[in-house]
């Protein structure tokens, strides 16, 4: 029988000296008795996978609103792809793969329905704004609570990686930094794949310099980007790319924003207007009618204020649930129709 103590011992024997060892974790916000079988980071990973917020990612938009077809990415499939890329990099650098996986699986738990468009709406109407990485931390710290536990009570290393996966903050662990670059590698490449499949762009539209340095197929681009990170991070105190790959990825990202993320073929003005109406209407409704919130959200309203609870509830909705609640609240039965 393989017990936690043996797993912790193996980490010191096998992993890089730069890897975070689970036995040396900075700990949890609230002390807990350790698991007999699993390390602290393995427990974090399992708590995230079994959470309701993780399951809801299945029905949250990645880029394409209401896509026709089963092969377009959702927020859940994006998360899985980030996890796979991050684990590959962590394994090759001899870092803590369990910690890396936990961060990757939890990094987008706070994302709104309708992708970044929903995030933009909440950011514009909620006091103090809205950022999905901070909301992800609130999900694991507060919202995903049980009768016996406040939040998921994750380790400091996982919480830090979740917050630092985007924006200017750099996670203090190499494992968190791996997830940060893996997120960008994943979304740029799978969004290219989805955009080509939908006919929004063709491979020929992609800058020739990006095709030459990264590759002309989805497989080649992922493989080359991952290998570049591994080669340039080995033995270093920071996860990084080569200068050539970093500069070209910035250019490719700019191309994607201009031709996909902000394209009228992907985000039609009427659809964006509907997203704004749905998100803002629901948010304002629950602020005005706190009694209509679920019981757990009413408790949060008592603790943190009604605006915070309304934001939490709307942000946690799936696309289809948000549309369903909107129709139920604001549309007479004879008017109800598919609005996205």
């Amino acid at each position: 029988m393989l017990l936690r103590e043996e797993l912790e011992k193996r980490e010191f024997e096998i992993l890089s000296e730069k890897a975070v060892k689970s036995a040396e974790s900075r700990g949890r916000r609230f002390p807990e008795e350790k698991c007999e079988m699993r390390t602290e980071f393995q427990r974090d990973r399992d708590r995230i996978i079994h959470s309701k917020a993780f399951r809801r990612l299945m029905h949250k938009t990645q880029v394409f609103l209401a896509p026709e077809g089963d092969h377009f990415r959702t927020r859940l499939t994006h998360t899985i792809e980030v996890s796979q890329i991050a684990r590959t990099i962590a394994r090759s650098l001899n870092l803590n793969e369990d910690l890396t996986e936990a961060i990757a699986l939890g990094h987008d738990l706070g994302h709104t329905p309708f992708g970044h468009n929903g995030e933009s709406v909440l950011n514009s109407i909620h006091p103090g704004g809205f950022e999905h990485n901070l909301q992800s931390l609130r999900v694991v710290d507060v919202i995903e609570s049980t009768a016996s536990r406040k939040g998921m009570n994750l380790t400091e290393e996982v919480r830090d990686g979740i917050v630092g996966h985007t924006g200017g903050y750099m996670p203090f662990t190499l494992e968190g930094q791996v997830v940060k670059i893996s997120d960008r590698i994943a979304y740029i490449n799978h969004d290219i794949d989805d955009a080509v499949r939908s006919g929004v762009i063709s491979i020929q539209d992609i800058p020739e310099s990006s095709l030459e340095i990264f590759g002309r197929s989805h497989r080649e681009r992922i493989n080359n980007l991952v290998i570049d990170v591994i080669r340039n991070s080995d033995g270093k105190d920071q996860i990084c790319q080569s200068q050539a790959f970093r500069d070209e990825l910035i250019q490719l990202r700019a191309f994607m924003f201009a031709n996909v993320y902000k394209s009228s073929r992907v985000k039609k003005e009427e659809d964006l207007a509907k997203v704004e109406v749905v998100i803002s209407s629901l948010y304002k409704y629950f602020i005005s009618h706190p009694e209509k919130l679920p019981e757990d959200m009413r408790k949060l309203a008592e603790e943190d204020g009604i605006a915070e609870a309304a934001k939490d509830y709307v942000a946690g909705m799936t696309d289809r649930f948000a549309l369903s609640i909107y129709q139920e609240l604001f549309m007479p039965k004879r008017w109800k129709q598919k609005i996205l």
Side-chain angles (χ1 to χ4, degrees), residues 184 188 214 245-255:
R184 179 166 291 194
I188 288 179
F214 298 144
F245 271 59
R246 181 166 59 251
D247 290 347
E248 192 61 43
L249 193 61
I250 291 173
Q251 295 302 315
L252 182 56
R253 185 171 181 267
F255 166 83

Side-chain angles (χ1 to χ4, degrees), residues 52-165:
K52 296 186 294 295
F54 184 78
R55 295 195 293 274
R56 290 196 299 270
L57 296 177
M58 179 180 181
H59 296 293
K60 290 195 176 191
T61 290
Q62 174 63 23
V63 172
F64 289 80
L65 293 170
E68 294 183 3
D70 295 330
H71 296 143
F72 289 88
R73 271 72 173 187
T74 66
R75 191 60 59 179
L76 178 61
T77 54
H78 161 73
T79 295
I80 293 171
E81 291 185 39
V82 173
S83 176
Q84 178 271 314
I85 291 170
R87 288 189 351 257
T88 297
I89 295 173
R91 189 183 308 122
S92 297
L93 294 175
N94 213 16
L95 299 175
N96 195 312
E97 196 172 337
D98 292 327
L99 171 57
T100 305
E101 183 178 25
I103 295 170
L105 293 175
H107 81 281
D108 267 355
L109 292 179
H111 241 299
T112 61
F114 313 117
H116 287 286
N117 300 107
E119 180 177 14
S120 296
V121 175
L122 274 182
N123 184 55
S124 67
I125 62 177
H126 179 66
F130 181 93
E131 296 177 63
H132 76 268
N133 58 323
L134 298 180
Q135 186 66 16
S136 294
L137 184 63
R138 181 165 170 82
V139 168
V140 302
D141 278 355
V142 178
I143 298 173
E144 282 281 343
S145 297
T146 66
S148 60
R149 189 183 68 226
K150 178 74 168 180
M152 296 187 200
N153 198 27
L154 304 183
T155 58
E156 182 64 24
E157 290 81 5
V158 174
R159 297 175 64 250
D160 172 78
I162 287 173
V163 170
H165 84 269

Side-chain angles (χ1 to χ4, degrees), residues 120-237:
S120 296
V121 175
L122 274 182
N123 184 55
S124 67
I125 62 177
H126 179 66
F130 181 93
E131 296 177 63
H132 76 268
N133 58 323
L134 298 180
Q135 186 66 16
S136 294
L137 184 63
R138 181 165 170 82
V139 168
V140 302
D141 278 355
V142 178
I143 298 173
E144 282 281 343
S145 297
T146 66
S148 60
R149 189 183 68 226
K150 178 74 168 180
M152 296 187 200
N153 198 27
L154 304 183
T155 58
E156 182 64 24
E157 290 81 5
V158 174
R159 297 175 64 250
D160 172 78
I162 287 173
V163 170
H165 84 269
T166 189
Y169 175 74
M170 185 62 68
F172 66 76
T173 68
L174 292 182
E175 289 84 356
Q177 294 176 31
V178 166
V179 174
K180 191 180 186 77
I181 186 61
S182 298
D183 183 39
R184 179 166 291 194
I185 291 173
Y187 77 69
I188 288 179
N189 282 285
H190 65 50
D191 292 346
I192 288 174
D193 194 39
D194 283 351
V196 170
R197 176 180 294 109
S198 68
V200 171
I201 61 172
S202 69
I203 290 297
Q204 290 71 32
D205 295 325
I206 298 173
E208 184 63 28
S209 58
S210 295
L211 296 176
E212 289 180 357
I213 191 171
F214 298 144
R216 296 182 179 275
S217 71
H218 181 71
R219 179 188 64 82
E220 288 177 328
R221 289 189 293 273
I222 294 288
N223 186 66
N224 290 333
L225 280 158
V226 167
I227 290 176
D228 180 76
V229 171
I230 294 169
R231 287 176 174 169
N232 286 277
S233 303
D234 188 29
K236 296 181 180 178
D237 293 327

Side-chain angles (χ1 to χ4, degrees), residues 262-295:
K262 295 185 178 181
S263 169
S264 60
R265 298 182 64 186
V266 176
K267 307 285 180 65
K268 297 180 175 62
E269 288 298 326
E270 57 266 32
D271 287 343
L272 295 180
K274 291 173 183 177
V275 168
E276 182 173 3
V277 168
V278 170
I279 295 293
S280 60
S281 297
L282 291 175
Y283 176 80
K284 294 172 184 177
Y285 176 83
F286 289 112
I287 285 180
S288 300
H289 302 84
E291 73 280 359
K292 299 296 184 180
L293 288 169
E295 181 180 359

